[in-house]
Amino acid sequence: MILNQAGTRRFKAYTSKHLEELLQRTELDEAQRLKVRAVATVLPFRTNAYVVDELIDWSAAPDDPIYRLVFPQADMLPAPDVDRLADLLKAEAPNAEIQAEANKVRMKLNPHPAGQLSLNVPRIDMEPVPGMQHKYPETVLFFPKQGQTCHAYCTYCFRWAQFVGDADLKFASDDVGQLLSYVRAHPEVTSVLLTGGDPMIMGESVLRRYVEPLLEVGQLESIRIGTKSLAYWPQRFTTDPDADDTLRLFEQVQAAGKNLAFMAHFSHPRELDSPLVSQAVSRIISSGATIRTQAPLIRSINDDPEVWSSMWRRQLGMGMIPYYMFVERDTGPQDYFAVPLAQAYEVFRDAYASVSGLCRTVRGPSMSATPGKVCVDGVTEIAGQKVFVLHLIQARDPSLVGKPFFAHYDPRAVWLTDLRPAFADRFPFETVVQDALLSA
């Protein structure tokens, strides 16, 4: 491992070209490893030395949860697709042929869920604005061009299409001026979320080019950064050469009267174990920023209430705010990772019941679906019918936020589109979504 001048380890990435070498650490046989590599031609693979050396328990791989979090699984995709790609790899087919076949599989995986390409793209003078999304009135998402990769990729990632090298599937922009113009033209926007990828993959000087101009926009109350860097590379805030400069930038945001909110992704308690994480969290909070934690509920990784209650308690003790438990989104290998909504509610309920009130800032299980963030509040019986009770935490139509609605109970349902309305002909948001589709 290369050392920098301070004697700390530099970031070292591993990609699909290192996959066979890394898989040698497992007990997978040659045929199994070939199928893993076949899946990696469709879904992106990237990890780093910190994750590989510090987080994964290789003695438990391939069943170790952190291993499953970042390494492709042979059965993540339909067996015929995996077998076809494995045959091409084994035959050493030309890369163009392999990629063409991989792309066919990708197109079956709903690469951009919840209307991202049609309903959420903002417009200036009727022209779509690249690298931005505007789904909820008060919040604009911006995808900085240099931040469209991550320190490591999660196997469940709903933004996997950002990382497969297809420009038609990617959101990205480096036009900060266009972002500022759009926000100023929409006074209802009070928050900008820098997302990706992971904005914290950018160095301080690049990050500053996106953050500093936002400090001059009076209407903005908060700047949010969606990141998994605290889990996958906490050195970004401790020993990286620009760590101190980054913290000074965070202090500048606070001094400008804006709230800097870290939306930090932690999927498993082991990601909190390293003293580096505690140090990084402490430094970020000392800058005046807040850290809110969130992650999806993922089968075989964290589908256990004790995993969640442990995470929330430890996060609270470190000064972070538990924020969201999400439902795995309807994209990529959803069939592999999804937990039925009824089970998701039970996991959330049991975890929620076992923590103190200070941890109960968390919300979920929540689906980031086309109409908005739909929360499963419970399962009950009304007028002899067993139903899900749901509400919108956030919505395209703000008038729908907080209003309960009902769906027939279905123990197999994993997503909003699997549900049927109860006590009504349609869900309350259906007209809003239809109107949005017609105007897109």
Side-chain angles (χ1 to χ4, degrees):
M1 181 69 67
I2 301 172
L3 300 182
N4 66 19
Q5 290 181 349
T8 54
R9 294 191 295 181
R10 288 181 180 172
F11 181 79
K12 179 181 179 181
Y14 296 113
T15 63
S16 56
K17 68 181 180 181
H18 304 103
L19 189 52
E20 176 63 24
E21 176 188 351
L22 292 169
L23 291 173
Q24 298 288 339
R25 302 190 186 196
T26 71
E27 295 183 357
L28 297 175
D29 61 31
E30 184 177 358
Q32 291 170 319
R33 296 197 304 271
L34 181 63
K35 289 186 176 183
V36 171
R37 289 168 50 213
V39 172
T41 66
V42 176
L43 299 169
F45 170 74
R46 175 182 167 94
T47 188
N48 68 68
Y50 173 77
V51 175
V52 167
D53 297 333
E54 304 294 336
L55 298 186
I56 294 175
D57 178 2
W58 287 98
S59 68
D63 296 323
D64 177 68
I66 306 300
Y67 173 88
R68 299 180 70 81
L69 181 61
V70 293
F71 276 78
Q73 313 301 311
D75 53 348
M76 277 173 58
L77 299 175
D81 294 334
V82 175
D83 290 342
R84 193 161 53 251
L85 286 159
D87 288 343
L88 290 173
L89 289 174
K90 189 173 183 179
E92 298 183 353
N95 185 61
E97 184 178 352
I98 295 171
Q99 286 304 311
E101 191 62 38
N103 195 54
K104 292 178 184 177
V105 179
R106 289 182 191 124
M107 291 304 102
K108 296 187 289 185
L109 299 177
N110 189 24
H112 278 303
Q116 290 183 123
L117 284 180
S118 55
L119 302 183
N120 301 348
V121 177
R123 297 176 182 271
I124 296 178
D125 296 330
M126 303 303 293
E127 291 297 318
V129 182
M132 288 173 58
Q133 291 184 30
H134 191 185
K135 183 175 181 179
Y136 308 125
E138 67 279 0
T139 306
V140 162
L141 277 63
F142 188 76
F143 296 75
K145 183 177 180 180
Q146 299 90 339
Q148 298 316 304
T149 186
C150 299
H151 295 95
Y153 295 151
C154 299
T155 43
Y156 63 72
C157 181
F158 83 93
R159 290 225 175 102
W160 60 271
Q162 289 284 97
F163 315 129
V164 296
D166 187 336
D168 292 336
L169 296 179
K170 190 170 186 176
F171 286 99
S173 174
D174 60 0
D175 194 338
V176 182
Q178 195 171 55
L179 169 63
L180 296 176
S181 296
Y182 183 83
V183 170
R184 287 183 171 127
H186 292 78
E188 72 275 17
V189 175
T190 58
S191 182
V192 170
L193 169 59
L194 301 179
T195 185
D198 192 327
M200 294 315 304
I201 202 80
M202 299 187 290
E204 181 272 338
S205 61
V206 180
L207 181 64
R208 178 177 292 276
R209 295 209 302 267
Y210 292 100
V211 170
E212 206 165 41
L214 295 172
L215 305 185
E216 304 301 320
V217 182
Q219 74 198 62
L220 288 183
E221 300 168 359
S222 65
I223 297 169
R224 292 186 253 178
I225 297 176
T227 182
K228 200 166 168 61
S229 54
L230 279 168
Y232 283 165
W233 188 250
Q235 294 91 323
R236 177 67 186 82
F237 310 99
T238 58
T239 57
D240 275 6
D242 61 348
D244 291 347
D245 289 337
T246 299
L247 272 294
R248 280 190 281 269
L249 174 61
F250 295 169
E251 291 172 351
Q252 188 177 336
V253 175
Q254 297 303 115
K258 314 292 186 188
N259 175 255
L260 179 62
F262 258 65
M263 320 311 292
H265 293 239
F266 290 102
S267 306
H268 193 273
R270 196 183 304 159
E271 296 172 322
L272 300 165
D273 284 349
S274 171
L276 283 172
V277 178
S278 297
Q279 184 183 355
V281 167
S282 179
R283 298 195 81 200
I284 292 169
I285 293 174
S286 294
S287 76
T290 57
I291 304 175
R292 290 177 170 83
T293 62
Q294 57 190 31
L297 177 65
I298 301 297
R299 187 179 68 84
S300 80
I301 293 174
N302 59 20
D303 52 340
D304 179 342
E306 176 56 32
V307 168
W308 286 89
S309 60
S310 173
M311 273 203 298
W312 294 337
R313 287 194 298 266
R314 291 177 64 184
Q315 289 162 1
L316 178 69
M318 295 166 73
M320 296 183 279
I321 303 168
Y323 190 53
Y324 268 123
M325 174 198 281
F326 289 116
V327 174
E328 171 66 351
R329 295 185 71 164
D330 54 336
T331 182
Q334 182 198 29
D335 292 344
Y336 185 79
F337 285 123
V339 174
L341 297 177
Q343 182 185 346
Y345 166 68
E346 291 175 357
V347 171
F348 180 85
R349 180 199 61 200
D350 291 350
Y352 192 84
S354 66
V355 297
S356 74
L358 291 176
C359 284
R360 293 181 182 175
T361 50
V362 69
R363 297 179 288 182
S366 171
M367 293 175 273
S368 290
T370 302
K373 290 185 173 70
V374 180
C375 186
V376 181
D377 291 325
V379 176
T380 192
E381 188 171 301
I382 300 176
Q385 292 190 46
K386 192 174 184 180
V387 295
F388 286 112
V389 183
L390 311 105
H391 83 280
L392 283 156
I393 296 172
Q394 183 61 284
R396 292 182 186 278
D397 178 359
S399 70
L400 297 176
V401 171
K403 294 182 178 179
F405 62 98
F406 305 94
H408 290 286
Y409 178 79
D410 182 348
R412 298 166 299 176
V414 298
W415 194 248
L416 183 62
T417 51
D418 297 330
L419 299 178
R420 295 181 298 112
F423 315 118
D425 294 331
R426 57 173 56 195
F427 289 125
F429 49 75
E430 288 187 34
T431 300
V432 174
V433 172
Q434 289 171 358
D435 290 346
L437 286 168
L438 289 172
S439 62

